[in-house]
Amino acid sequence: VGDDEASVLGSFGIDDIRRAADRIAPHIVRTPVQTSIEIDRIANTRVFAKAEALQTTGSFKFRGALNKVLGFEPGALTRGIVGFSAGNHAAAIAAAGAIVGCPVVVVIPQGAPAAKIANCRAWGAEVIPFDPARQDREQIAAAVVSQRGMTLVPPFDDYDIMAGAGTVGLDIADDLHGRGVIPDVVVVNCSGGGLASGVLTVMEHYYPSIQKYIVEPAGHDKMARSLAAGMVLSNPPGRTTLMDGINGPVVGRHPLEVLRRLNVTPLQVNDDQALRAVAAAHEHFRLVVEPAGAASLAAVLFGQTDFAGRNIALVNSGGNVDSVVYRRALQLADSAHG
Amino acid sequence: VGDDEASVLGSFGIDDIRRAADRIAPHIVRTPVQTSIEIDRIANTRVFAKAEALQTTGSFKFRGALNKVLGFEPGALTRGIVGFSAGNHAAAIAAAGAIVGCPVVVVIPQGAPAAKIANCRAWGAEVIPFDPARQDREQIAAAVVSQRGMTLVPPFDDYDIMAGAGTVGLDIADDLHGRGVIPDVVVVNCSGGGLASGVLTVMEHYYPSIQKYIVEPAGHDKMARSLAAGMVLSNPPGRTTLMDGINGPVVGRHPLEVLRRLNVTPLQVNDDQALRAVAAAHEHFRLVVEPAGAASLAAVLFGQTDFAGRNIALVNSGGNVDSVVYRRALQLADSAHG
């Protein structure tokens, strides 16, 4: 291990995540870890599903954004904060900005779910839409930074963001400890890698022999390819999926480093599997989950990997979903029942 | 106060509910109390909504059934337990029976939501359907008691059941205390009165000046009429509502006594208001709530009473809803948005 790599590896770990947990605790919903005999029957295993769709703004993203914003020097907040995202990170920084009392600008792709855009506006943020096929969201955000003096809150490629997301894992470990359960497997959906790197760091710390999986949309497996190549790769532009929340263009450099070290196994799910998982979460967890947020549940319930007889921890990570997509998920499940 | 009344009033109170909480705690989901800036904007007030649809079996009913069953002498459980209900109490005793390891029979009206019947069967219960227009559910349950030697678990007219349901109120008070919030108003949906009498007893204890409301389906206001008449009254048979969970035929004698003493104000909501509340809980709480379970939210968001500027505690009490009804709620909300 060279000096460079050691310094990177040494700079993110369980202590960062614990500090984040202490910092954000007063503002965070302690979301339950859910179990269901019906889900366990479908999966032929025991599932422990963190209901993070119940978090403030409807996704885990609030944890990372809040950890970042609470760590800023007061001077960095005077002119406000700006972020770009498919929607959930945007709402998260809108809410984090509202808590510290600073202006917020969010850069969101046209065509993002209306629920996500409404979520940002409800928290008082200014929304700047862009065309993802023709415009670069980082450039738009950079222009806001230079023109208005705002501070960028990155969506995932940042240790504070990763540490905030990782507090989901601390909650899970604490809950499972209370039940006397040792998880054999952890499955986390993955886009830029903030949630996966944070949660899997915690799981590795508490359960050194746990099997660690990440889940991406089929055909949008930028992290799987990045892990294989050992370098940051992108998804090809222009492809769509109902899992919009984990269809960002590129993986994060820091999350990639952490996930390589953790020896994770990548999985993929398609839109149909994600919709069926949305319906299963509806019926058996009474939880509203968006397709991207249900990707890990989809992999466990409907994927190729056989998890029979294992204790599985997963995260239902977000619940901001357009009504038309949700109704389609329920209809799909109804026709499968009938 | 005569001796009779004093003995009745003395036999149910905060200590019963605290004992129930201790007894059931190891098996209960600590459901969150949810807040939402969007909900607060619609209601022009601050709403604290207990997400009891996330409880085991998908409703608060599990608390009362479990408290009852854990209090039985072991001998009473040998032959098993039986109950009758519109569905949520049935699933609750199915789960409580599974926890103590005894056979369970549930008597459920034909036409109850498929989700509720499936819920009972998933927990291993035997389901006996009946025709509510022509058969008496209490007689069917009584026949099971006499023929099979099973023990009846009543749905609401019982101090142990009321105490178990009342633990929802303890959770709310504990959560609000942690936030430094004093509620001005509490609103609880009501059918037989188990949940309302339990929760409002707790609220009265901790917040003596709180305003206490119960909510019934419009045209099915058996508790409002019973309170006015000072005696147990029924709903006229044959009327239907989407709020099937709070459309039982009759109020409980014990809950009625408690609610009379607590000086509650009855409210009513119609099916349209309940559906709009289901959609609001979906969008802003990411919680699946059935129409009956959303009755208190419906009264606060869409009812006649002006709650502006108050801190309101309410209970989203159950989430077992047929997919067709749920999709209708989402469509209704979409057309209102559009």
Side-chain angles (χ1 to χ4, degrees):
Chain A
V1 177
D3 273 1
D4 251 27
E5 191 176 351
S7 69
V8 169
L9 296 182
S11 56
F12 183 74
I14 189 75
D15 291 335
D16 300 285
I17 300 170
R18 287 180 176 143
R19 271 192 298 272
D22 289 342
R23 188 188 262 167
I24 67 179
H27 307 285
I28 287 291
V29 177
R30 179 63 188 248
T31 57
V33 172
Q34 298 187 282
T35 61
S36 157
I37 53 164
E38 297 99 332
I39 290 286
D40 287 358
R41 185 164 306 157
I42 300 170
N44 191 25
T45 183
R46 291 178 73 197
V47 171
F48 301 88
K50 179 69 165 168
E52 195 62 11
L54 301 173
Q55 192 51 261
T56 303
T57 71
S59 91
F60 76 94
K61 289 278 189 179
F62 180 60
R63 297 173 183 255
L66 187 63
N67 188 46
K68 188 75 189 172
V69 170
L70 290 177
F72 279 146
E73 300 292 325
L77 296 173
T78 314
R79 311 291 288 274
I81 55 178
V82 58
F84 51 86
S85 119
N88 279 335
H89 173 64
I93 70 165
I99 283 173
V100 300
C102 77
V104 177
V105 167
V106 293
V107 181
I108 301 186
Q110 291 163 4
K116 295 186 178 181
I117 296 169
N119 213 343
C120 295
R121 294 207 166 109
W123 285 99
E126 177 187 341
V127 174
I128 301 183
F130 75 100
D131 177 354
R134 306 190 318 161
Q135 292 178 288
D136 184 301
R137 60 188 193 173
E138 299 199 34
Q139 285 180 6
I140 298 172
V144 173
V145 169
S146 63
Q147 288 161 18
R148 303 203 204 175
M150 291 183 136
T151 304
L152 180 72
V153 181
F156 49 79
D157 197 7
D158 179 284
Y159 287 141
D160 290 329
I161 300 288
M162 292 154 65
T167 63
V168 170
L170 285 183
D171 279 8
I172 294 173
D174 186 56
D175 188 280
L176 294 184
H177 180 75
R179 299 173 196 241
V181 168
I182 307 282
D184 306 302
V185 172
V186 55
V187 189
V188 186
N189 55 306
C190 183
S191 180
L195 180 68
S197 57
V199 169
L200 297 183
T201 293
V202 174
M203 293 291 122
E204 170 87 359
H205 175 81
Y206 286 106
Y207 315 106
S209 64
I210 198 169
Q211 286 184 290
K212 297 172 288 293
Y213 294 87
I214 60 167
V215 185
E216 296 178 284
H220 305 250
D221 56 340
K222 59 187 183 284
M223 185 62 84
R225 289 182 292 105
S226 299
L227 286 167
M231 59 185 290
V232 168
L233 296 177
S234 305
N235 277 335
R239 287 193 198 166
T240 61
T241 163
L242 292 177
M243 291 173 269
D244 59 280
I246 53 174
N247 191 32
V250 68
V251 304
R253 186 174 62 89
H254 297 84
L256 174 61
E257 288 164 355
V258 170
L259 292 175
R260 283 188 73 192
R261 177 166 58 87
L262 289 173
N263 192 26
V264 303
T265 303
L267 302 174
Q268 295 183 35
V269 294
N270 61 35
D271 279 0
D272 183 77
Q273 292 168 323
L275 285 179
R276 288 161 67 200
V278 168
H282 171 93
E283 184 172 354
H284 303 307
F285 289 133
R286 292 93 189 172
L287 185 70
V288 177
V289 188
E290 61 189 272
S296 57
L297 183 63
V300 170
L301 294 184
F302 308 120
Q304 299 285 319
T305 310
D306 182 8
F307 293 112
R310 322 296 295 279
N311 288 336
I312 301 183
L314 59 81
V315 183
N316 286 319
S317 63
N320 295 310
V321 49
D322 266 5
S323 170
V324 172
V325 172
Y326 201 84
R327 282 188 270 145
R328 188 168 142 198
L330 296 185
Q331 272 179 308
L332 190 71
D334 279 356
S335 38
H337 286 325
Chain B
V1 177
D3 275 358
D4 251 25
E5 192 177 349
S7 70
V8 169
L9 296 184
S11 57
F12 182 74
I14 189 76
D15 291 335
D16 300 284
I17 300 169
R18 288 179 176 145
R19 271 192 299 272
D22 289 342
R23 188 188 262 166
I24 67 179
H27 307 283
I28 288 290
V29 176
R30 180 63 188 250
T31 58
V33 172
Q34 297 186 282
T35 61
S36 158
I37 52 165
E38 297 99 332
I39 290 286
D40 287 358
R41 184 165 306 159
I42 300 170
N44 192 24
T45 182
R46 290 178 74 196
V47 171
F48 300 88
K50 178 71 166 168
E52 195 62 10
L54 300 174
Q55 191 52 260
T56 303
T57 72
S59 92
F60 75 94
K61 290 278 189 180
F62 180 60
R63 296 174 182 256
L66 187 62
N67 188 44
K68 187 75 187 172
V69 169
L70 290 177
F72 281 146
E73 300 292 325
L77 295 174
T78 314
R79 311 291 289 274
I81 56 178
V82 59
F84 50 86
S85 117
N88 279 336
H89 173 64
I93 70 163
I99 283 173
V100 299
C102 75
V104 177
V105 167
V106 293
V107 181
I108 300 186
Q110 292 163 2
K116 295 187 177 179
I117 296 170
N119 213 341
C120 295
R121 295 207 166 109
W123 285 98
E126 176 187 343
V127 174
I128 300 182
F130 75 101
D131 177 355
R134 308 190 316 161
Q135 293 177 288
D136 185 302
R137 61 188 193 171
E138 301 201 31
Q139 284 178 7
I140 298 172
V144 173
V145 169
S146 63
Q147 290 162 17
R148 305 204 204 175
M150 290 182 136
T151 304
L152 181 72
V153 181
F156 48 78
D157 196 6
D158 179 284
Y159 287 141
D160 291 328
I161 300 289
M162 293 155 63
T167 62
V168 170
L170 286 184
D171 278 8
I172 294 172
D174 185 56
D175 188 280
L176 294 184
H177 179 75
R179 299 174 196 240
V181 168
I182 307 283
D184 306 302
V185 173
V186 55
V187 189
V188 187
N189 55 307
C190 184
S191 179
L195 180 68
S197 58
V199 169
L200 297 183
T201 293
V202 173
M203 293 290 122
E204 170 87 358
H205 175 82
Y206 285 105
Y207 316 105
S209 64
I210 198 169
Q211 286 183 291
K212 296 171 288 293
Y213 294 87
I214 60 168
V215 185
E216 295 178 285
H220 305 251
D221 58 340
K222 58 187 184 289
M223 185 61 84
R225 289 183 292 104
S226 299
L227 287 166
M231 59 186 290
V232 168
L233 296 176
S234 306
N235 277 335
R239 287 192 198 166
T240 61
T241 163
L242 291 178
M243 290 172 270
D244 58 279
I246 53 175
N247 191 33
V250 67
V251 305
R253 185 173 64 86
H254 297 85
L256 174 61
E257 289 165 356
V258 171
L259 292 175
R260 284 188 71 193
R261 175 166 60 84
L262 289 173
N263 192 29
V264 303
T265 303
L267 302 174
Q268 295 182 35
V269 294
N270 61 35
D271 279 359
D272 184 75
Q273 292 167 324
L275 285 180
R276 288 161 66 199
V278 168
H282 170 94
E283 185 173 353
H284 303 307
F285 289 134
R286 291 93 190 173
L287 185 70
V288 177
V289 189
E290 61 187 273
S296 57
L297 182 63
V300 169
L301 294 185
F302 308 119
Q304 300 284 320
T305 310
D306 182 7
F307 293 112
R310 323 294 295 279
N311 288 336
I312 303 183
L314 60 81
V315 183
N316 285 320
S317 63
N320 295 309
V321 49
D322 265 5
S323 168
V324 173
V325 172
Y326 201 84
R327 281 187 271 146
R328 188 167 143 197
L330 296 186
Q331 272 178 308
L332 191 70
D334 279 356
S335 39
H337 286 324

